[in-house]
Amino acid sequence: MAWVFGALAVVLFVLASVFGVDDEAVPLRALGILAEWAGFLAVLAFVAVLVRGPLVHWVKRRLVELAGPAIIRTMAPRDVLATLLPAIYGDRASHEDVLTGVLGGAGRDARGRDIAVSKGTTAHLRLMAVDERTCVSEFTWTHEFSGVRDNHFLILFGTVDPEIVPLVLANRTYPLFEVWHLRNEDELDDFVPMLRDSLKVGIAYRDSDGNVIEVEPAAHVGEEIALRHFDGFLRLPERIDRKDLRILQLDLYDLADPDHVVAAVERLSVRASQHTDLSRGYITWSPPHPCYLETVTFDVQHLGVDGREYDFLVLPSVMRRGGMPHYPHWMRIDDVITVEVRSWMLPGHAVTLLWRLVDDPENDRGRP
């Protein structure tokens, strides 16, 4: 099209020179003037068509650079990812697991009040033998958030229904949570009493003046939520039996100074313990929401009873493979195992410690 305008401009300028703008004949002089002006317009059209593509591309790029981030910040995180993912992953399957896994929640709130992501996490697991069959496993984990605003409840879920666990990740109301997948009805009935006996919670919060205040972990009994109020904490399909779920709510403001106004929860520390069957042979830590896991520590120095010794194997499942220390063989440890992870983890990733008796004749020790 540009070359059409260019050829037209040449023709018009030729006509203008033929008829001339100084011709004494008025009609011919008018025709020359008209051809000359039309030629200038054709030249402008020629130039406009030539630069139109690059100009439009430049303008679009500038608009995206200037307005794009502002527009995205006004959108719900779920809407942003739901628009992007089909172009990358295709649309043959649902992206729900990817959405909730990456966002750390439903992501329907534009201010991010229904999601949680930890930019720095550490976990410490201590195993203490009670007898030759049972040990107490004490979990302590700390999450450092980018400021959780307008949400000051920690919700603890316990369930024997495996279908409820992913529903907690995607459909919970409050961002801060933990979920336990329990093995049987007895563990479900003991869930709340067990937590109240062992649970300790600490926070670091930012007050209205911008100061960060540390609160060391302390006992917190929380409030058990009645079944009729479950919908205020978790959206469940009608087919789910709500009797397979227990919910304990902890108000983190109870830990703050009564004279302070809490602007944001910056860090959360949770400590809890439970009895574990030693014959189970493993224990796992998995994040409830996306987190950058710094280290996981397994303290096994109090696991042996009556001279019993164990071999241990660490199985990490994280996003980053290269550069992470791994433990490909069973090893004899009698104190502390520290795993330097330094990787992002999503729900479903885990670090697992396996153990077996040293003198068990059924063990294939596999030592090099």
Side-chain angles (χ1 to χ4, degrees):
M1 179 61 72
W3 303 113
V4 173
F5 284 115
L8 179 60
V10 172
V11 171
L12 290 171
F13 283 129
V14 170
L15 290 176
S17 64
V18 170
F19 293 111
V21 296
D22 298 326
D23 199 298
E24 294 182 357
V26 174
L28 294 178
R29 186 167 66 250
L31 186 59
I33 293 173
L34 180 63
E36 187 175 37
W37 280 103
F40 284 121
L41 293 176
V43 170
L44 291 176
F46 171 74
V47 174
V49 172
L50 279 181
V51 302
R52 177 180 177 275
L55 180 62
V56 169
H57 179 73
W58 180 84
V59 170
K60 286 182 177 179
R61 187 174 67 251
R62 292 297 296 163
L63 286 174
V64 170
E65 291 174 353
L66 294 174
I71 294 173
I72 289 175
R73 281 193 293 268
T74 64
M75 299 173 62
R78 170 174 288 270
D79 293 336
V80 177
L81 272 186
T83 302
L84 176 65
L85 287 182
I88 301 174
Y89 282 56
D91 55 6
R92 293 182 60 186
S94 171
H95 307 118
E96 184 65 29
D97 292 341
V98 179
L99 285 168
T100 57
V102 171
L103 293 176
R108 296 184 177 92
D109 187 284
R111 295 177 60 186
R113 291 173 295 185
D114 59 348
I115 61 178
V117 175
S118 171
K119 61 184 180 182
T121 295
T122 58
H124 186 280
L125 288 75
R126 183 167 61 161
L127 302 176
M128 298 168 288
V130 177
D131 53 40
E132 63 181 18
R133 297 182 178 180
T134 309
C135 74
V136 173
S137 49
E138 181 184 82
F139 295 77
T140 304
W141 55 92
T142 300
H143 299 298
E144 183 178 355
F145 301 102
S146 299
V148 176
R149 302 182 181 278
D150 303 323
N151 286 288
H152 53 93
F153 294 110
L154 172 63
I155 312 301
L156 307 178
F157 300 90
T159 181
V160 293
D161 185 347
E163 191 175 356
I164 291 179
V165 175
L167 292 174
V168 170
L169 302 179
N171 297 333
R172 70 188 188 276
T173 302
Y174 298 100
L176 301 181
F177 81 104
E178 294 287 342
V179 59
W180 278 263
H181 184 194
L182 308 172
R183 291 179 296 175
N184 50 55
E185 294 293 335
D186 290 338
E187 288 190 359
L188 182 66
D189 292 337
D190 293 339
F191 176 69
V192 172
M194 178 270 296
L195 283 182
R196 285 177 167 169
D197 285 344
S198 65
L199 188 66
K200 291 186 177 181
V201 181
I203 60 172
Y205 65 91
R206 189 176 300 276
D207 65 13
S208 56
D209 296 326
N211 301 313
V212 176
I213 292 90
E214 301 269 355
V215 179
E216 291 298 320
H220 198 317
V221 297
E223 175 189 357
E224 184 173 5
I225 303 303
L227 187 147
R228 65 181 178 275
H229 297 312
F230 279 7
D231 290 341
F233 296 83
L234 178 65
R235 293 183 297 275
L236 292 172
E238 291 299 325
R239 68 178 185 277
I240 297 294
D241 188 351
R242 285 157 171 77
K243 294 181 180 179
D244 291 336
L245 176 66
R246 300 288 186 272
I247 301 177
L248 188 66
Q249 173 187 266
L250 283 71
D251 189 342
L252 299 179
Y253 281 1
D254 292 343
L255 302 174
D257 190 306
D259 295 330
H260 290 173
V261 175
V262 180
V265 176
E266 302 288 344
R267 187 162 59 253
L268 172 67
S269 297
V270 180
R271 182 179 302 159
S273 62
Q274 63 183 18
H275 284 79
T276 299
D277 186 351
L278 278 171
S279 64
R280 182 182 181 185
Y282 71 93
I283 195 166
T284 296
W285 185 85
S286 181
H289 43 66
C291 72
Y292 185 82
L293 183 62
E294 302 281 356
T295 60
V296 176
T297 301
F298 299 97
D299 184 345
V300 297
Q301 57 186 324
H302 301 293
L303 189 59
V305 172
D306 298 330
R308 296 163 67 90
E309 294 183 316
Y310 293 90
D311 281 345
F312 297 95
L313 181 67
V314 177
L315 298 179
S317 171
V318 299
M319 294 183 70
R320 181 171 65 88
R321 298 294 185 184
M324 176 182 164
H326 63 288
Y327 306 86
H329 304 293
W330 290 91
M331 47 189 180
R332 183 82 58 84
I333 300 290
D334 57 7
D335 49 11
V336 175
I337 306 169
T338 299
V339 185
E340 301 284 344
V341 181
R342 314 292 182 192
S343 173
W344 282 99
M345 297 181 69
L346 302 179
H349 290 134
V351 179
T352 300
L353 177 71
L354 289 78
W355 61 80
R356 63 184 186 182
L357 278 172
V358 170
D359 57 356
D360 191 335
E362 295 183 2
N363 288 338
D364 177 14
R365 305 187 59 77
R367 292 194 180 96

